[in-house]
Amino acid sequence: MTGSGRRLFTAIPDSGRWYMTNLHTSEMLDWLNERDPLKLTGLFRAARACAVEHVGSKVYFRGLIESGNVCEKNCHYCGIRRGNRNFPRYSMTESEILACAREAFEMNYGSVVLQAGERCGPGYSAFIEKIIRGIKTLSGGKIGITLSLGEQSLETYEAWFRAGAHRYLLRIETSNPTLYKNLHPSDHSFEKRLECLRALKSTGYQTGTGVMIGLPGQTCEDLVNDILFFEREDMDMIGMGPYIPHEDAPLPSDGRDIGENFRLGLVMIALARLRLKNVNITAATALQALDPEGREKGVMAGANIIMPNLTPVKYREAYQLYEGKPCLDEDAGESSGGRLDRRIRFAGAQIGYGDWGDSPRFRSRNNGTAGPGKA
Ligand code: 5AD
Ligand code: SF4
């Protein structure tokens, strides 16, 4: 429908206007400044229609395993930064991680996401490799594996890919190098982050990135540039969420209303969907921290991925990247199983159980193949 020279127009219901999905930079900027709820509802509906057309009507669950909060980095905004000594550090054992993956498999989730603070070195690399192979074995190769384990060497990325991981999430946090510098200590590097993203792609991973939305010092122009960055780097997956301050993180506030970051978070999902079309987009948990129905609203604004938290409850308190992270004391099965399923169905989408739910953009770039071990 979007073939050569033709542009796709989608109606924004409720707004009485026709909306062009080949969004221009200036239109994206206008939408980020839009506050009229009726017009925003129209934008979200257009984005949801765009998702249905380009990635299908289903929402895919990725069971999130936060396997450890030990981190070698010291990002100014993050609650589990190396310099924060106000909470206990943990590293889940192999059998604990595999038990979570088994739970995801038994609930018929298509994939798991292994996320942790950033750790490097041959011992850690070998440990994760063993875990990846273990998850593949316990599920007979059926469970897809996404990693979110930060900046690593090319050799490590390759070893984890060979072991069977096929997607990797590494947020750029902001595409503005000056802002990136202000958010991180001087030994963190924007260029290194970019190099890692490119290394992941060349290794063969479905590669995802994203940003925090509403950061101190971040402008709406920066956010538009973030979407152009995702486009330029031809990313397969996008995971963005509102910035939420943490009391033990030193990033100074610029006085903005954090509640506003929720609106901006939904608008960014909708704009990314309308601009990039066939990518996977996550409805981030940080949305749920600001609104109990945040993730459902994310789906209704164009997201198609949700990451229910499967981390054992005893560890959740110690994985607080930001204040008010939800589901700290809920039983994992309760918070991520039937109830979430009902809520997503109620929001009008079906769940893609037992399916990897790969990014169609990745598939179209790679002639239908989706990495090693495709079930
Ligand atoms: N608010 C929102 N998101 C945060 N992250 C870290 N700290 C915060 C915060 N205070 C996000 C970063 C990181 C991901 C794992 O968590 O984007 O990449
Ligand atoms: Fe570590 Fe990631 Fe937090 Fe930075 S954002 S301190 S790398 S867990």
Side-chain angles (χ1 to χ4, degrees):
M1 280 182 74
T2 47
S4 56
R6 288 186 59 200
R7 297 190 119 173
L8 175 69
F9 289 83
T10 304
I12 295 188
D14 300 340
S15 72
R17 288 202 277 149
W18 286 86
Y19 189 73
M20 192 163 57
T21 61
N22 287 345
L23 276 176
H24 291 297
T25 307
S26 63
E27 293 171 293
M28 292 201 271
L29 201 53
D30 289 345
W31 277 115
L32 287 165
N33 287 307
E34 182 62 69
R35 283 177 174 75
D36 179 339
L38 206 59
K39 286 191 183 150
L40 287 173
T41 303
L43 173 73
F44 299 150
R45 287 198 190 166
R48 171 71 189 150
C50 183
V52 170
E53 182 181 347
H54 291 280
V55 295
S57 60
K58 288 183 181 164
V59 168
Y60 297 94
F61 284 169
R62 320 266 194 239
L64 175 65
I65 308 169
E66 295 158 332
S67 60
N69 65 359
V70 177
C71 187
E72 293 169 10
K73 289 265 176 80
N74 216 8
C75 308
H76 295 327
Y77 44 82
C78 178
I80 66 167
R81 61 201 301 274
R82 188 183 68 222
N84 184 7
R85 300 194 208 297
N86 295 339
F87 66 100
R89 301 281 171 174
Y90 72 88
S91 296
M92 282 168 64
T93 62
E94 181 183 349
S95 65
E96 284 176 317
I97 298 173
L98 294 183
C100 291
R102 199 167 288 113
E103 190 185 349
F105 185 52
E106 281 163 7
M107 291 199 286
N108 207 14
Y109 291 179
S111 307
V112 290
V113 179
L114 204 58
Q115 188 179 83
E118 196 172 302
R119 290 177 66 184
C120 300
Y124 185 69
S125 176
F127 173 71
I128 296 294
E129 192 177 329
K130 198 159 167 238
I131 300 284
I132 295 167
R133 293 190 194 281
I135 295 174
K136 283 287 163 194
T137 303
L138 73 84
S139 67
K142 289 214 173 75
I143 280 214
I145 303 177
T146 306
L147 302 179
S148 178
L149 301 172
E151 295 173 3
Q152 303 287 340
S153 66
L154 178 62
E155 293 69 39
T156 292
Y157 286 149
E158 286 174 344
W160 292 348
F161 186 74
R162 277 195 306 273
H166 78 292
R167 306 188 191 105
Y168 205 106
L169 301 168
L170 181 66
R171 286 186 177 180
I172 191 76
E173 313 297 0
T174 171
S175 64
N176 176 338
T178 310
L179 183 55
Y180 190 95
K181 222 170 160 190
N182 296 340
L183 298 173
H184 297 98
S186 55
D187 59 342
H188 297 33
S189 150
F190 180 83
E191 288 70 29
K192 167 97 192 292
R193 184 65 58 103
L194 193 53
E195 260 171 43
C196 284
L197 269 178
R198 291 174 179 168
L200 286 164
K201 239 179 109 180
S202 69
T203 301
Y205 286 96
Q206 284 176 55
T207 307
T209 195
V211 294
M212 284 176 287
I213 298 162
L215 287 159
Q218 188 182 45
T219 64
C220 286
E221 284 80 3
D222 287 327
L223 292 173
V224 170
N225 285 331
D226 291 339
I227 292 180
L228 299 178
F229 172 90
F230 305 152
E231 184 174 64
R232 203 167 51 243
E233 294 296 321
D234 196 10
M235 289 288 112
D236 305 306
M237 315 180 289
I238 308 297
M240 306 172 281
Y243 164 68
I244 305 171
H246 189 290
E247 65 173 356
D248 293 325
L251 187 66
S253 156
D254 63 356
R256 72 176 69 203
D257 168 17
I258 296 302
E260 250 296 274
N261 293 356
F262 183 77
R263 177 189 67 84
L264 282 174
L266 293 184
V267 172
M268 281 293 282
I269 288 176
L271 297 180
R273 172 60 68 207
L274 290 165
R275 177 88 186 195
L276 307 172
K277 300 186 177 70
N278 59 352
V279 292
N280 278 347
I281 302 182
T282 308
T285 309
L287 287 171
Q288 196 191 352
L290 295 179
D291 179 326
E293 290 179 6
R295 289 181 302 179
E296 292 83 341
K297 289 179 182 171
V299 167
M300 296 329 292
N304 67 326
I305 305 290
I306 287 190
M307 302 190 342
N309 197 341
L310 298 185
T311 309
V313 173
K314 65 176 174 180
Y315 293 131
R316 291 192 193 182
E317 190 85 50
Y319 203 88
Q320 293 248 45
L321 305 171
Y322 46 82
E323 293 301 327
K325 198 156 166 272
C327 299
L328 291 187
D329 52 8
E330 280 178 275
D331 162 69
E334 175 63 21
S335 68
S336 51
R339 202 157 51 133
L340 181 58
D341 177 306
R342 279 195 299 281
R343 281 159 50 172
I344 295 301
R345 284 172 197 269
F346 187 69
Q350 303 129 356
I351 320 278
Y353 282 113
D355 193 330
W356 285 11
D358 281 327
S359 156
R361 176 173 290 237
F362 179 86
R363 265 192 264 127
S364 65
R365 204 176 44 237
N366 292 275
N367 302 323
T369 57
K374 175 87 178 100

